Amino acid sequence: MTPILHITPPAQWLPVSAEPLIIAGPCSAESEQQVMETAFGLADIPQVKVFRAGIWKPRTRPGAFEGVGISGLKWLQRVKKETGLLVSVEVANPRHVKEALDHGIDILWIGARTVVNPFAVQEIGEAIGSLNIPVMIKNPLNPDLKTWIGAIERLNQMGLEKLMAVHRGFSFFNRSPYRNAPMWEIPIELKRLYPNLPVMVDPSHICGNREMIPATIQKAFDLEMNGLMIEVHHNPSKALTDKNQQITPVQLQEILARLILRRESGSIEFENKLEELRSEIDKLDEELIDILARRMKVVEDIGTYKKTNKITILQLKRWNQLINERIEAGEKMGLSREFILKLMQTLHEEGIQRQIDVMNQKT
Ligand code: PEP
Ligand code: MN
């Protein structure tokens, strides 16, 4: 059963109205000058309401720049005072939480490496205690919705209700143009399960490069995500961390100006046409499910036949030939190679399982 989350929407705790909510700032706070220059650039963009900067940086290998530590918190206080932006930092342990709260940080976030560890999440929640300050929970590195939900639920059950999820993509062993594959189906499922939980998108860590950022932002809003957490640096080429994915404040402003925010619902004619197309989809899906059920039945019959004749389940030659034929047929119908491959693999996996079940059945 899906547990209920008690979420206070940002509209109730943000001192400013922000829809969508845009959080921007450098990957890392590097110097007072870098922080201030970036913050002043961002404060000129009306849609930006919250400044972000990493003070304690989780690095894959030791020896890389690990953040400026608490001295950066003073710079963030200055940002807050001089620009009016709210300020946010990443926390990974109770000491970070205490320092951040002592310096008047408005919003905390838990990073992808910390969120996988229930002990760490618990300790962070305990350190926040009854303060109920806003916390953003990034998705774990691996595509595991349950872990992501678990961390959100854990904090929520500790009384934290000003929660937002941040989708930052997932590490993925296949080659992909993204640094972290977006796997949009995962944040979409999160939204389906918890419609009242705001889901922000971090296009910087998804893309890993500047070029793909505008299209990823557009996609995020087309999928009704609630805002952005984006890395912005006044001089990205000199950034000490994540330099390829940071953009300048001016570039962010241009991207936001070009963004098309589609409305969730339109005119009556539009709604009618949409309804018509949707019922066509419903009908097709019904047929698809019927076909899938029939296909599985045939697969089971083959399993029974193989069992009677003592033949192995997996027959690679047949499988390779089938895949190639389906890909070719799909391409003729305008369906991509990757799509057909994924589809056939899913069908094959289920088919093999069905045949294993048949083999194991006592006759
Ligand atoms: C970050 O936002 O700077 C960061 C380290 O992100 P993530 O935890 O998503 O890797
Ligand atoms: Mn970063």
Side-chain angles (χ1 to χ4, degrees):
M1 205 194 77
T2 311
I4 293 168
L5 293 179
H6 300 279
I7 302 293
T8 313
Q12 284 181 30
W13 51 262
L14 275 173
V16 281
S17 85
E19 194 112 16
L21 175 58
I22 312 284
I23 300 172
C27 177
S28 304
E30 299 165 3
S31 68
E32 185 163 15
Q33 185 262 345
Q34 169 249 9
V35 166
M36 292 316 297
E37 205 163 314
T38 306
F40 283 127
L42 287 169
D44 284 342
I45 309 174
Q47 297 98 315
V48 177
K49 308 289 187 210
V50 182
F51 186 77
R52 63 144 282 158
I55 300 291
W56 300 284
K57 297 306 296 178
R59 303 313 301 275
T60 307
R61 299 188 57 201
F65 175 66
E66 296 198 314
V68 293
I70 47 177
S71 52
L73 293 171
K74 302 223 164 46
W75 310 335
L76 292 180
Q77 283 180 314
R78 225 190 117 193
V79 168
K80 189 170 167 171
K81 195 153 146 253
E82 294 182 29
T83 66
L85 293 168
L86 299 186
V87 288
S88 63
V89 293
E90 172 173 349
V91 291
N93 60 43
R95 183 174 56 84
H96 295 166
V97 173
K98 184 174 182 320
E99 295 291 357
L101 297 180
D102 285 351
H103 286 81
I105 298 299
D106 302 288
I107 304 175
L108 306 177
W109 86 80
I110 302 181
R113 290 155 193 79
T114 309
V115 86
V116 286
N117 181 348
F119 294 125
V121 174
Q122 178 79 22
E123 282 179 4
I124 290 170
E126 282 166 7
I128 298 171
S130 58
L131 282 173
N132 194 15
I133 86 155
V135 183
M136 300 188 279
I137 301 100
K138 287 196 149 193
N139 63 259
L141 296 176
N142 52 325
D144 176 7
L145 179 58
K146 282 212 183 86
T147 304
W148 196 5
I149 292 176
I152 297 167
E153 239 187 295
R154 182 176 292 275
L155 295 173
N156 198 224
Q157 287 180 7
M158 296 173 86
L160 297 176
E161 299 193 345
K162 297 171 188 165
L163 300 178
M164 301 195 285
V166 181
H167 170 42
R168 49 82 75 206
F170 301 91
S171 49
F172 186 49
F173 61 88
N174 277 2
R175 262 154 60 97
S176 146
Y178 296 98
R179 177 176 177 195
N180 290 292
M183 302 184 180
W184 291 104
E185 65 281 7
I186 296 178
I188 288 172
E189 177 65 3
L190 182 66
K191 276 186 89 67
R192 190 186 69 79
L193 292 171
Y194 304 105
N196 57 350
L197 175 74
V199 181
M200 310 287 286
V201 173
D202 170 348
S204 315
H205 289 90
I206 290 177
C207 297
N209 64 68
R210 275 182 273 292
E211 293 68 32
M212 288 162 67
I213 283 182
T216 303
I217 292 180
Q218 185 62 57
K219 175 106 186 190
F221 288 114
D222 289 347
L223 294 174
E224 292 175 35
M225 299 292 144
N226 304 87
L228 299 177
M229 184 212 253
I230 181 165
E231 290 188 341
V232 177
H233 191 292
H234 75 102
N235 187 0
S237 64
K238 291 273 152 55
L240 297 181
T241 54
D242 287 350
K243 69 157 108 177
N244 297 331
Q245 69 192 32
Q246 303 206 58
I247 58 173
T248 64
V250 170
Q251 284 168 332
L252 176 61
Q253 187 156 29
E254 284 166 3
I255 294 172
L256 293 178
R258 278 198 301 269
L259 195 62
I260 301 165
L261 288 178
R262 298 178 226 275
R263 283 165 308 154
E264 213 171 302
S265 52
S267 66
I268 302 272
E269 288 122 90
F270 171 84
E271 289 296 325
N272 286 346
K273 179 73 191 163
L274 193 63
E275 215 27 69
E276 211 178 283
L277 293 170
R278 280 181 177 158
S279 42
E280 209 171 311
I281 290 273
D282 291 346
K283 230 168 47 226
L284 289 169
D285 282 353
E286 236 171 75
E287 280 174 39
L288 207 55
I289 287 171
D290 182 57
I291 290 175
L292 288 173
R294 278 164 36 209
R295 189 185 192 282
M296 284 308 156
K297 176 76 184 64
V298 178
V299 167
E300 281 179 5
D301 289 349
I302 294 177
T304 311
Y305 192 59
K306 283 180 185 163
K307 183 180 181 179
T308 328
N309 291 281
K310 301 200 165 30
I311 305 270
T312 57
I313 293 178
L314 180 66
Q315 291 175 315
L316 265 184
K317 217 166 115 214
R318 155 83 181 143
W319 170 237
N320 281 331
Q321 181 196 353
L322 183 145
I323 281 260
N324 289 333
E325 281 173 17
R326 301 297 184 269
I327 286 176
E328 203 178 310
E331 280 180 334
K332 283 199 186 117
M333 304 289 285
L335 300 170
S336 80
R337 188 185 177 80
E338 294 71 32
F339 173 59
I340 296 291
L341 189 62
K342 241 195 292 178
L343 185 66
M344 294 311 297
Q345 276 166 341
T346 308
L347 290 176
H348 190 235
E349 227 171 85
E350 175 70 12
I352 294 269
Q353 190 52 51
R354 294 280 184 124
Q355 293 197 350
I356 290 174
D357 293 346
V358 168
M359 291 282 173
N360 290 339
Q361 261 164 28
K362 293 205 177 70
T363 40

